[in-house]
Amino acid sequence: MDLHHWLGRAVDTHAAWADGHGPRPGHPALAVDDEALSTAFAELAGRLGTSYPFFHPRYAGQMLKPPHPVAVTGYLAAMLVNPNNHALDGGPATSALEEEVVAALATMVGFPGDHLGHLTGGGTVANLEALFVARETHPGKGIAYSAESHYTHARMCHLLGVEGHAVPTDDRGRMDVAALERLLDGGRIGTVVVTTGTTGLGAVDPVHRVLDLTEPAGVRVHVDAAYGGFFALLADEVPHGTPLVDPAPWRALRRCDSVVVDPHKHGMQPYGCGAVLFRDPSVQRFYRHDSPYTYFTSSRPHLGEISLECSRAGASAAALWLTLRLFPLTRDGLGEVVAAGRRTALRWAERIAASPHLDLFQPPELDIVTYHPRVNPPSLKRITAASEHVLRAGMRGGQEDPVYVSTARIGADAFAARRGDAVVDAEETAVLRSVLMKPEAEPYLDRLHGRVEELASAACRDGELP
Ligand SMILES: *Cc1c(COP(=O)(O)O)cnc(C)c1O
């Protein structure tokens, strides 16, 4: 796919549409001098040049990658019109596109046709909306989330004036169901947030087992699948041998009350694209409000009437819509993109486990691999020093062969739960963390592993450890 060609086509399409409205108006106040633009643009290009190469598989750090060129094309085509999906008055065409992509996401998680949902600026606002609705359906009750869940849940409980409860996790970073059961017995919890793919470790809470407790108790369940949502596409895989993910938590999504998924993570979209889905459409009553400025053009609910945000880029809906035409929400469509990262994580974990210079922190459940330089004995202080050495030395790596990873802080108890022989000489330690969300990492794995191994061996050799 030639991005120049497709961006040109987006601009031409917009021009042809605009020309259909007669000669284009202009104003001297808007004029720019090409030379001045050229100077300013060169400065911008220089500033952007200091970015980390998120597009390259040598960047194996945080949850970051550029949008697919198809998404960029769809975004640009719509952005030139600049519709606002707050109301049908602002974005009739892109509001319809949004309804279609939201329906596709709802089908992916197994929700019925009469679900409610919309795109959001991201996972944070999407989760806020889900917790807001939870507060309204279960007034006066608390919200439980795992200790490994995204920090947003505790913050949003504070914001909403709801009591938040952190549930301990097991030795794989998943919600401890027995601990949840004890908490539910107290009768103070109205909603449980389960995370299918924690941001730190990629741990998947046992949604199906949580539902077995919540359903009889009338407790609401919200799924934070901001990171992991698209792995649902791998759950129905049965053909030969073991599926790439344990299907049980993913198949249970349909029994939950709300789900958040971020197309700007694994959905290959530019930032500004999250989504919240509700199984029961009647929760729209909690959003009811009137606007003296908008909502003129239709008696059909406007997207702004069922969301907390006002202005939102209609271009986000267009970008996702075009992307899903080329990469539908099936195992062979977008599923294959997600599967590549999952396979790479599994293969890398095997290589790390067999390496004399690295130890696996825990087996990956999705596409996040956590590991650390092999330090003997495994003292928390020395593991922190060795991990940070790999992080820094990797980025320095000269112009030839840098590699970018990230670190995750792990509490002493959580570390000791995985390593019985840990020397607990600090309250926490830092391990290395790589999100393998780019399919391009699959053919690059040997080089990535080789580089990280070299850095880990140097970290322990260079006498930098305390
Ligand atoms: C990324 C993430 C969020 C926050 O979403 P944003 O899109 O960054 O606002 C919430 N929960 C989980 C599990 C995430 O991975």
Side-chain angles (χ1 to χ4, degrees):
M1 174 183 174
D2 176 6
L3 185 59
H4 279 108
H5 168 75
W6 284 101
L7 292 186
R9 210 157 144 184
V11 173
D12 291 346
T13 301
H14 173 259
W17 169 76
D19 290 345
H21 290 267
R24 291 239 221 145
H27 192 283
L30 301 172
V32 289
D33 175 59
D34 260 339
E35 215 162 296
L37 173 58
S38 174
T39 306
F41 188 82
E43 198 181 320
L44 174 66
R47 303 280 283 265
L48 291 176
T50 60
S51 309
Y52 298 125
F54 304 131
F55 72 94
H56 199 284
R58 69 168 78 254
Y59 183 88
Q62 309 280 4
M63 221 168 264
L64 290 161
K65 69 174 179 182
H68 193 281
V70 167
V72 177
T73 303
Y75 199 97
L76 177 62
M79 190 250 275
L80 290 168
V81 181
N82 207 23
N84 185 336
N85 274 16
H86 167 241
L88 288 165
D89 334 25
T94 48
S95 290
L97 297 178
E98 177 163 335
E99 284 165 359
E100 289 178 35
V101 296
V102 166
L105 292 170
T107 302
M108 177 178 80
V109 304
F111 277 3
D114 66 343
H115 60 272
L116 188 76
H118 57 272
L119 298 181
T120 63
T124 303
V125 182
N127 276 302
L128 170 64
E129 294 202 13
L131 298 193
F132 157 66
V133 167
R135 186 191 72 183
E136 300 301 301
T137 59
H138 290 69
K141 297 279 187 173
I143 296 180
Y145 37 78
S146 95
E148 285 283 337
S149 71
H150 198 279
Y151 63 78
T152 193
H153 299 292
R155 284 180 100 190
M156 293 308 169
C157 281
H158 179 57
L159 182 75
L160 291 165
V162 175
E163 208 169 88
H165 301 259
V167 182
T169 50
D170 67 10
D171 62 1
R172 289 282 183 274
R174 300 168 296 209
M175 182 180 277
D176 178 337
V177 180
L180 175 67
E181 188 168 17
R182 286 191 295 276
L183 183 62
L184 292 179
D185 282 346
R188 288 164 67 190
I189 303 298
T191 299
V192 178
V193 176
V194 286
T195 305
T196 50
T198 58
T199 316
L201 303 173
V204 181
D205 285 342
V207 184
H208 49 299
R209 295 178 51 217
V210 168
L211 283 162
D212 291 342
L213 299 177
T214 56
E215 280 173 344
V219 168
R220 189 177 176 86
V221 176
H222 166 61
V223 188
D224 183 359
Y227 150 66
F230 292 104
F231 285 91
L233 299 171
L234 308 186
D236 284 332
E237 191 177 30
V238 260
H240 346 272
T242 34
L244 278 169
V245 298
D246 171 7
W250 305 100
R251 291 202 182 127
L253 296 186
R254 66 192 61 222
R255 290 161 59 198
C256 299
D257 296 283
S258 54
V259 179
V260 159
V261 48
D262 260 0
H264 69 203
K265 284 178 177 160
H266 283 77
M268 308 197 292
Q269 299 307 296
Y271 284 117
C273 193
V276 61
L277 308 162
F278 297 97
R279 194 182 52 187
D280 171 10
S282 79
V283 300
Q284 68 176 285
R285 67 190 183 277
F286 301 121
Y287 285 96
R288 198 162 288 144
H289 67 283
D290 194 21
S291 162
Y293 327 107
T294 44
Y295 311 149
F296 297 127
T297 49
S298 161
S299 54
R300 194 166 114 223
H302 298 242
L303 289 163
E305 290 179 276
I306 52 159
S307 68
L308 293 182
E309 286 170 283
C310 294
S311 296
R312 275 191 304 104
S316 290
L320 182 56
W321 186 90
L322 192 65
T323 306
L324 297 187
R325 288 294 299 267
L326 281 302
F327 298 89
L329 295 177
T330 59
R331 173 61 183 82
D332 295 334
L334 191 62
E336 189 44 31
V337 176
V338 180
R342 173 69 185 135
R343 284 192 300 263
T344 311
L346 284 171
R347 269 182 48 216
W348 200 15
E350 275 174 25
R351 303 283 299 272
I352 290 169
S355 164
H357 303 295
L358 293 167
D359 281 336
L360 194 62
F361 173 64
Q362 71 167 43
E365 260 187 276
L366 299 176
D367 63 4
I368 299 177
V369 183
T370 46
Y371 52 100
H372 56 83
R374 176 168 292 178
V375 172
N376 265 317
S379 109
L380 302 195
K381 266 190 196 156
R382 302 182 78 209
I383 288 171
T384 300
S387 295
E388 285 175 354
H389 179 91
V390 172
L391 178 81
R392 284 191 309 269
M395 286 197 273
R396 273 199 306 272
Q399 285 315 300
E400 327 83 59
D401 213 4
V403 60
Y404 303 83
V405 295
S406 70
T407 51
R409 276 184 293 136
I410 308 290
D413 290 348
F415 192 86
R418 288 150 176 98
R419 280 296 289 264
D421 59 344
V423 179
V424 180
D425 52 2
E427 276 171 22
E428 58 179 29
T429 187
V431 301
L432 297 166
R433 166 176 171 273
S434 289
V435 184
L436 299 169
M437 68 193 306
K438 290 187 287 278
E440 297 93 325
E442 198 168 26
Y444 194 81
L445 181 62
D446 287 346
R447 278 191 68 180
L448 181 64
H449 176 68
R451 256 323 260 148
V452 170
E453 223 182 13
E454 261 169 41
L455 291 162
S457 121
C460 300
R461 209 176 43 229
D462 290 352
E464 290 211 10
L465 302 187

